[in-house]
Amino acid sequence: MSLPYFNLYPDDFEADTAHLTLLEDGIYNRLLRLCWRTPGCSVPDDEAWIFRKLRARTDEEKEAVRIILDEFFTRKGGKIFNSRLIKEWSTANDKHEKRKKAGSKGGIAKSLKINDLDISNAKALLKQPEPEPEPDIEPKGSLSPEDDEVGFKPVDEIAEAATLYNLAAKESGWPQIKNLSKSRRAALKARLRECGGIEGWRKALSRAQASSHCCGQNDRGWTANFDFLTRQSSFAKLIEGNFDDRKPVMPGAGSTGGRITPSDNWQTGATVHSAPSTQPPPAKPRTITGGRK
């Protein structure tokens, strides 16, 4: 049976989750409660099981669950767990068990009326353990002094993808990123999974570079940026071609109703034959015969 409580340190929690949306924050809290109430303080590494337990039904909710799992939880041995929550559970459980044992000894001493013995009669109380400071961990993908102006430490695929973005940004006039935060790593990791890895990411960047709209040729002078390209909705539109340049309509195209005409042959490369004329043939001159002289 799990403990009916766990410690929450608001300052630590807010420092780590201030970047989350309202939906992601709610999912994170629900996942923590689910782990705490599950034996072993962990859940099976099974997305369908987790979606069902969290009641995540829409695509947006399921994507938010994946983002939270990637950023705050660890996968190992077929289980998913939060390292900080495991630590809090172990500390609270140890103290709870010690109080139970001390209370049991105290009850025995009282029943035997051995009041002169120095035995505790403490009872198990639901008391929060003292908070412990978080270790300082340098985030992956931070900029290094010896790196060039667009590069991150090549520690993993995510850092490599971030470097590729900065190279494309330098060529296309987009803002370059200087800080690869936890939320940006999680978003980039999700997009890499969707497009099939680094090669898919290269193709997506090339598509954005070829888009006049993404490169500032619009009525606002707006250009794409890292957060826009790694957002699920805008990335889906990018790979579906919504930002591709449209071919201009040739003059007079409307008069043919969209049909290919001989003048279109240069563009389509097709063999085009003129359609039969619908105009009636010219009338032949009549030959006058007979009549009065």
Side-chain angles (χ1 to χ4, degrees):
M1 180 178 178
S2 63
L3 293 171
Y5 66 92
F6 67 82
N7 300 313
L8 178 65
Y9 305 100
D11 288 345
D12 293 347
F13 189 87
E14 186 64 22
D16 290 339
T17 62
H19 62 282
L20 299 181
T21 65
L22 185 61
L23 174 62
E24 292 168 349
D25 189 276
I27 287 173
Y28 187 25
N29 276 276
R30 186 169 286 183
L31 268 171
L32 290 176
R33 298 197 303 270
L34 178 61
C35 286
W36 188 266
R37 298 180 67 249
T38 305
C41 203
S42 62
V43 297
D45 191 358
D46 182 347
E47 279 194 353
W49 187 92
I50 294 172
F51 290 157
R52 185 171 64 255
K53 288 293 184 181
L54 296 182
R55 300 182 293 282
R57 297 183 176 90
T58 67
D59 291 341
E60 182 184 12
E61 291 170 345
K62 292 178 181 179
E63 179 62 21
V65 171
R66 294 188 183 102
I67 289 174
I68 295 301
L69 289 175
D70 288 342
E71 183 169 353
F72 296 102
F73 289 80
T74 301
R75 287 180 162 92
K76 187 176 181 181
K79 295 289 185 179
I80 295 178
F81 58 90
N82 179 279
S83 300
R84 176 65 183 270
L85 192 65
I86 289 282
K87 182 178 179 181
E88 294 298 331
W89 184 89
S90 298
T91 301
N93 188 62
D94 289 346
K95 290 193 175 184
H96 186 73
E97 291 299 322
K98 288 179 181 178
R99 288 185 178 276
K100 284 176 62 178
K101 291 179 181 179
S104 177
K105 290 180 181 180
I108 294 173
K110 185 175 182 180
S111 65
L112 296 177
K113 297 183 179 180
I114 309 177
N115 297 322
D116 57 337
L117 294 179
D118 187 16
I119 300 177
S120 171
N121 61 353
K123 296 180 180 179
L125 300 176
L126 302 181
K127 182 180 178 182
Q128 293 184 348
E130 294 297 324
E132 299 181 9
E134 283 277 0
D136 293 330
I137 301 176
E138 181 180 356
K140 294 181 179 179
S142 58
L143 285 174
S144 174
E146 60 269 16
D147 291 336
D148 59 30
E149 60 179 348
V150 296
F152 288 83
K153 293 179 181 179
V155 294
D156 54 20
E157 186 181 54
I158 298 176
E160 182 182 354
T163 298
L164 289 175
Y165 165 80
N166 272 355
L167 290 171
K170 187 176 181 181
E171 296 173 356
S172 306
W174 304 335
Q176 297 182 29
I177 56 171
K178 302 298 182 183
N179 177 34
L180 192 57
S181 63
K182 287 183 177 180
S183 59
R184 281 178 164 176
R185 286 182 62 86
L188 182 52
K189 184 176 181 179
R191 303 294 81 78
L192 287 171
R193 184 170 58 239
E194 290 173 2
C195 68
I198 287 295
E199 288 307 313
W201 178 246
R202 289 179 189 272
K203 293 178 181 178
L205 289 175
S206 297
R207 195 161 199 164
Q209 286 183 283
S211 168
S212 299
H213 178 78
C214 291
C215 294
Q217 297 181 31
N218 51 70
D219 56 355
R220 295 178 294 150
W222 171 89
T223 62
N225 55 47
F226 181 84
D227 296 323
F228 172 79
L229 293 177
T230 55
R231 191 181 307 139
Q232 182 188 22
S233 58
S234 50
F235 187 75
K237 292 179 180 179
L238 173 66
I239 61 179
E240 289 170 0
N242 288 341
F243 302 125
D244 290 356
D245 292 349
R246 298 291 181 261
K247 293 182 179 179
V249 178
M250 297 301 297
S255 62
T256 64
R259 297 189 302 272
I260 297 177
T261 65
S263 61
D264 294 326
N265 192 29
W266 66 272
Q267 185 176 12
T268 63
T271 302
V272 180
H273 302 281
S274 299
S277 174
T278 57
Q279 298 294 326
K284 295 181 179 180
R286 291 185 299 173
T287 302
I288 302 175
T289 59
R292 290 184 298 178
K293 294 183 180 180

